[in-house]
Amino acid sequence: MSEWWTYQPRDLLMFSPDTYYRLFELYNTEVWPVQLLALTAGLVILVLLYRPSPWSGRVIAALLAACWAFVAWAYFHERYATINLAAPTYALAFAAQAVLLVLVGVVLNRLSFAKRGTPLGQAGRALFPAGLVIYPLMAVVFGRPWLQSELFGIAPDPTVFCTLGVLAAADRMRWELMVVPVLWSAVTGVTLWTMGSSDAAVTGVAALYALCIAFLRVIERPEPGRPLGS
């Protein structure tokens, strides 16, 4: 038996990188054409972020909640659980985030967006199109086939990435909605780093970016006569 200090982090994984990415390939094939619905939801959110109305927050929160719930069930519970014993815990966390989005954003209507946001809000808003359009392209950039692309509303990482953009763009920071996305960013970053994936830092960087915007907006002072975040 090898000495414990000879083990590398990769040895602690319950699956290989090939198995991990192959799971996305099978998943994308099995859930088709749900990707079209997810893309439609993403485009609706994108439009509402840049052209908000009094009811935008409720619609965005409802669509995000649906995406988080779908990932919790279809990805973590039904598929990721076959290769990772921690998947049921992740499914519960994503389901809890879906419930929070419904409660905070839909029922209480506490997620709102200004037509003319501050520069910090605009900077946070840019995360959403990046997660919606650029994130799926990383599979090809890093030499993986198209079918292994991770898509908003279907896979956890781009869903978290885009959600961070929405929260960073909101008029007021909803810290209770930041907890699960930030924690997942750390979990997936460690997992991908352990696998030696080139994109290990992407979601973590997005979380740090969103957190920096959040803290800066806390100390941001509005101009006289102008409400914060308007």
Side-chain angles (χ1 to χ4, degrees), residues 104-158:
V104 176
V106 180
V107 178
L108 300 178
N109 194 24
R110 292 181 179 173
L111 196 63
S112 58
F113 306 89
K115 291 184 179 180
R116 295 184 61 185
T118 64
L120 285 173
Q122 296 288 0
R125 189 173 289 166
L127 276 177
F128 190 88
L132 183 66
V133 178
I134 298 176
Y135 200 103
L137 299 177
M138 291 197 303
V140 177
V141 170
F142 293 118
R144 301 192 297 270
W146 273 107
L147 278 176
Q148 293 182 4
S149 295
E150 298 172 52
L151 308 175
F152 165 74
I154 303 294
D157 289 4

